[in-house]
Amino acid sequence: MGLINCYIALKDFESAKAAITLALKQWPHEDEFFKIDQTINIFLDFQVSREQIENRVAELELELNNQKIKYQNKINEVRQWALKLIEIQNSTMNSKQLTIESEEDWQTIFQQIHDIALYIKNNNEDKVTYNKIKDKFCQEFKGISKEGLEFLSTGEYLYQLHKDQEIDFAPVMVEFAKVIEIELNLHLKKHKLIHKNTNLTLGQLNHQLKTFKVSTLPNITSFLDQLIRYRNGSAHTGQSTITKVEKVREMILNDGWLKLIIS
């Protein structure tokens, strides 16, 4: 008993178990040995459970550290494009809100924000999800151009990727607005209302459509007025919110404007 108690005190439960096993072989009916054997079994079970817990804790700590690294990398990626976006938007802060007269200036800003949208897409792209979005739109919007489909799919992919985050949604906004610009140009060319080699900006298109009415596009200018206002806001820090993007998305996808234009 002294030897067994010594092993227990040292927490060497395996040696204590070996000793009690030998003791029970020698004195199988000794009640004291039987009781201490049960106690040692409890200690052994506890020791195994503790080791399992410690191993699981170590695994969870490793997993947590890996997640922290991934999360930090994600934050760094967001910072990179967010800082670039703010830099672009700051360049417009001292100028007036973009109008039809400054559409050429807008095209330069658009290209810079579009490059950011492509950067986000290429650094986060889940090709399966992106292709599902693209296939869905291809089926839903029959007749949409290849270029328009790319902008629409990119805008939707970025929207789905960030809709639960607090970010500046300017890159999403410009992608959605560009779809309408592309398809409107094609629609007017198809009806021979503009020259086939002409490509007008959204503001220029709206100006033209206010000059002459197009029977195939009733009330289109009221829609374009709203879209341009939301689009122009993307040139200013913090103006492209999730609420505004969802309003534009609703007008394009669910209110029938895109389908009307490509019909």
Side-chain angles (χ1 to χ4, degrees):
M1 281 300 298
L3 178 64
I4 292 166
N5 285 329
C6 181
Y7 282 136
I8 291 173
L10 293 170
K11 297 184 180 179
D12 185 356
F13 302 118
E14 290 183 356
S15 295
K17 180 66 177 178
I20 197 66
T21 300
L22 289 173
L24 283 169
K25 282 183 179 179
Q26 187 68 28
W27 298 284
H29 304 297
E30 178 59 53
D31 188 53
E32 197 66 27
F33 287 156
F34 181 75
K35 289 179 181 178
I36 200 70
D37 183 49
Q38 290 181 315
T39 301
I40 291 169
N41 286 338
I42 292 171
F43 279 130
L44 282 169
D45 288 342
F46 172 76
Q47 187 176 40
V48 171
S49 298
R50 186 180 64 185
E51 288 174 355
Q52 289 174 336
I53 290 169
E54 288 174 351
N55 289 337
R56 184 58 183 148
V57 168
E59 289 173 1
L60 288 172
E61 285 178 341
L62 180 61
E63 184 178 337
L64 179 61
N65 286 332
N66 288 336
Q67 289 299 324
K68 283 181 179 178
I69 292 169
K70 289 180 181 178
Y71 182 68
Q72 190 59 50
N73 289 339
K74 185 68 68 177
I75 288 174
N76 289 338
E77 286 178 10
V78 172
R79 280 178 182 155
Q80 285 182 17
W81 69 256
L83 288 172
K84 180 62 177 174
L85 180 60
I86 290 171
E87 181 184 331
I88 294 166
Q89 291 168 332
N90 281 346
S91 69
T92 70
M93 290 301 289
N94 295 324
S95 57
K96 295 180 180 179
Q97 186 77 1
L98 297 172
T99 60
I100 293 171
E101 287 75 26
S102 61
E103 280 290 305
E104 292 303 320
D105 293 333
W106 167 254
Q107 283 302 99
T108 302
I109 295 167
F110 157 74
Q111 188 56 54
Q112 293 178 75
I113 299 179
H114 174 57
D115 288 342
I116 289 174
L118 294 181
Y119 173 84
I120 303 170
K121 173 190 164 188
N122 294 333
N123 280 274
N124 294 275
E125 187 173 354
D126 172 355
K127 290 186 178 179
V128 174
T129 301
Y130 178 76
N131 287 333
K132 281 183 179 178
I133 289 171
K134 195 172 180 180
D135 290 343
K136 176 179 176 291
F137 283 151
C138 192
Q139 292 297 317
E140 186 176 354
F141 298 102
K142 301 288 187 182
I144 191 170
S145 67
K146 184 178 179 180
E147 188 182 11
L149 180 61
E150 286 292 335
F151 278 98
L152 184 63
S153 302
T154 299
E156 179 67 9
Y157 177 76
L158 297 184
Y159 165 74
Q160 295 294 341
L161 188 67
H162 296 294
K163 64 181 179 180
D164 297 322
Q165 300 175 14
E166 293 291 333
I167 65 166
D168 190 323
F169 281 84
V172 184
M173 188 70 80
V174 298
E175 297 299 292
F176 281 145
K178 190 67 176 178
V179 179
I180 298 300
E181 180 182 300
I182 290 167
E183 299 305 323
L184 257 183
N185 270 288
L186 292 173
H187 183 96
L188 296 184
K189 289 175 185 179
K190 177 182 172 183
H191 290 84
K192 298 181 179 179
L193 295 171
I194 60 174
H195 192 272
K196 63 179 181 179
N197 295 325
T198 300
N199 282 300
L200 303 178
T201 65
L202 204 57
Q204 291 166 343
L205 286 163
N206 194 30
H207 181 67
Q208 288 276 39
L209 288 165
K210 284 179 178 178
T211 303
F212 52 82
K213 301 296 182 183
V214 181
S215 60
T216 55
L217 300 171
N219 303 316
I220 188 72
T221 57
S222 61
F223 161 62
L224 291 180
D225 285 340
Q226 293 183 72
L227 180 60
I228 291 168
R229 185 172 68 253
Y230 286 126
R231 181 209 68 174
N232 289 353
S234 63
H236 302 279
T237 304
Q239 287 197 23
S240 293
T241 63
I242 181 65
T243 303
K244 291 177 180 177
V245 160
E246 288 178 342
K247 173 64 177 175
V248 167
R249 181 176 178 271
E250 180 74 15
M251 290 192 297
I252 292 173
L253 299 183
N254 300 325
D255 289 354
W257 285 110
L258 181 56
K259 284 185 177 178
L260 178 66
I261 293 166
I262 63 176
S263 63

